[in-house]
Every structure is written in C-alpha cells, then in structure tokens.
Amino acid sequence: MADYRQILVAVDFSTESRVVVNKALDIARRNNAGLSLIHVVEYTGSVYAGDIPLPEDLELDQRLADQAKGQLEAMAAELGIAESARIVEIGVPKREIVRIAGEQGADLIVIGSHGRHGLQLLLGSTANGVLHLAKCDVLAVRVGT
Ligand code: AMP
C-alpha cells in the first residue's frame, strides 16, 4: 500500500458514516498520517421539490451549516479528532470535497460507496463524482450491501 500523509474523510452522517471514518482512522494510524473530516451542506438552491427547484435560501444554508458543525464536532470529539480537522462547507458535495482535498494537500480521500442518496447506483453519485474529479487517490469504502 502507498504511504499516505494526509487523509480527507467525507462524512454525510448516514448510519454508514462510522464504518467509513473507522476505516480511514485505521489507514491514518498505520501510515502515521493526518486526518480531517469534511461534511458539505448542499446548497438549498440545488434542492428540488419534485421537478421544481426551490429558491436559494442563504440563511437556511447557514443554519444547516451550524447544525452540521455541531454534529461533526460531536463525532470528531468522540474519536479524538482535533478541532482544526473538522471542516464544514456549503456547496456541491463532490466539488467541495475535491477542493478541500487540494487545499489540504490530501493524498487520499476516503468516502463511502453509498450514502444518503441510496443504493440504486453501482457507486453513489457523490462517490462517483469525487472519483472523477479528484487529483489524488480515492478509497470508496463498501457500505450498505
Ligand atoms: P452518495 O454518493 O451520496 O450515495 O454518498 C457516498 C458517500 O459520499 C458517502 O458515504 C459520504 O462518504 C460521501 N458524501 C455524500 N454526501 C456528502 C456530503 N454532503 N458531505 C460529505 N460527504 C458526503
């Protein structure tokens, strides 16, 4: 296995998130690598009610981001992950995950094969998008099957 120095773990707070984070922590320990968690709050502007796009609500985005920060803090504190390694962004998940991986100089992104978007695809849409956009290695941890 390659030696990884900085790992970024994508967390969507689905029930499988722990499996993904635990796998990443294990790799981080064995490689003596740094590890950060990221959660991306999807733009409400990109949420659809049936076929109708809902108008963008920046205040709602901020409220959701604050809520996500709380959730991520609780998870990270339990796992002993430093405050500086807990990242919440607002945007399109696949883009933000890849952008932050670049900013952090991550050489591995760890992501679940599936998340809240379900099992209908061979690979979840976020996992698939990250795989296509990332400039570093991506580990899709098999979950949900
Ligand atoms: P999906 O492609 O949405 O089925 O999700 C696959 C994986 O992508 C999840 O297990 C997470 O690792 C990651 N992921 C999905 N949505 C987000 C999000 N909003 N923020 C961070 N990671 C996410």
Side-chain angles (χ1 to χ4, degrees), residues 10-12 38-40 93 97 111-118 124-127:
V11 174
D12 66 354
I38 181 168
H39 175 77
V40 183
I97 292 165
I111 196 162
S113 58
H114 298 89
R116 290 180 307 172
H117 293 105
S125 55
T126 306

Side-chain angles (χ1 to χ4, degrees), residues 82-116:
E83 219 171 306
S84 56
R86 308 165 190 172
I87 302 158
V88 172
E89 296 290 336
I90 301 174
V92 178
K94 62 184 177 191
R95 295 220 182 91
E96 290 305 303
I97 292 165
V98 170
R99 183 178 70 77
I100 294 294
E103 260 184 25
Q104 296 218 323
D107 45 12
L108 178 68
I109 298 171
V110 179
I111 196 162
S113 58
H114 298 89
R116 290 180 307 172

